[in-house]
Amino acid sequence: MISLLSHSPEETLALGEQWGRAVQAGWIIGLTGDLGAGKTQFVKGIARGLGYLDRIHSPTFALVHEYIGGRLPLYHLDLYRLDTPAQVVGAGLEEYFYQDHGVTVVEWAERWMETPPAGQAQPSSILHPPSSPGTHYRRVRIETLNDHERRISYEDFGA
């Protein structure tokens, strides 16, 4: 796992922008972190790196915002209002986890990949990080260290 330190919202935005310039079609970036950690700021940077100049809003109430017109389509999901992977499936969001033509960025990704309680079988409808050939999943954790500093740790899976 790789860890980076951000000392300001501007640095978080700049790191996201770097990633936005590097991402490829089919990538999924799953973000976790407390409220106010900088997840949406990071997504704004990714959008900027993809060439989006429009204002980026967290889709907390809409669940998803689609941005078309940059280098690649950007699908920004926010799972904060959903409690379980089954609710993610019920909301019809799973298509975004298996698309291969744009970039999907998921805030509160841990709600997508919930682990069932010990002794309980995992429902077949629960989503897993994609494992098909060519799929790239980046799991990102943003931790608040103090008012200005964030630790951004990530790990890549897949292609």
Side-chain angles (χ1 to χ4, degrees):
M1 183 167 285
I2 299 170
S3 288
L4 307 167
L5 213 55
S6 171
H7 298 92
S8 68
E10 293 76 22
E11 283 187 21
T12 300
L13 186 79
L15 177 60
E17 187 173 351
Q18 265 184 334
W19 286 15
R21 285 193 293 269
V23 296
Q24 300 298 314
W27 275 36
I28 300 165
I29 300 173
L31 303 173
T32 63
D34 294 333
L35 281 171
K39 295 180 296 294
T40 301
Q41 183 75 356
F42 198 78
V43 177
K44 289 177 182 181
I46 291 170
R48 185 184 288 179
L50 284 167
Y52 292 99
L53 303 177
D54 295 338
R55 189 170 172 166
I56 304 298
H57 299 279
S58 181
T60 301
F61 294 102
L63 299 180
V64 64
H65 287 310
E66 296 183 3
Y67 299 95
I68 309 298
R71 181 172 63 83
L72 295 168
L74 173 63
Y75 307 108
H76 180 194
L77 283 66
D78 186 323
L79 306 182
Y80 181 75
R81 293 181 50 230
L82 304 176
D83 294 321
T84 66
Q87 289 178 340
V88 173
V89 172
L93 299 176
E94 72 262 48
E95 70 182 89
Y96 294 101
F97 298 102
Y98 300 101
Q99 60 76 29
D100 61 0
H101 57 280
V103 177
T104 299
V105 181
V106 184
E107 294 189 47
W108 301 97
E110 67 274 19
R111 295 173 186 220
W112 161 39
M113 298 179 6
E114 175 185 85
T115 304
Q120 245 186 346
Q122 196 166 34
S124 60
S125 64
I126 289 183
L127 305 170
H128 301 280
S131 59
S132 58
T135 301
H136 185 101
Y137 176 67
R138 179 168 285 175
R139 181 172 54 200
V140 182
R141 171 90 181 136
I142 303 177
E143 297 172 83
T144 302
L145 301 178
N146 59 47
D147 286 347
H148 301 287
E149 290 185 317
R150 305 294 189 261
R151 178 181 298 120
I152 301 170
S153 304
Y154 69 95
E155 189 172 7
D156 290 332
F157 300 89

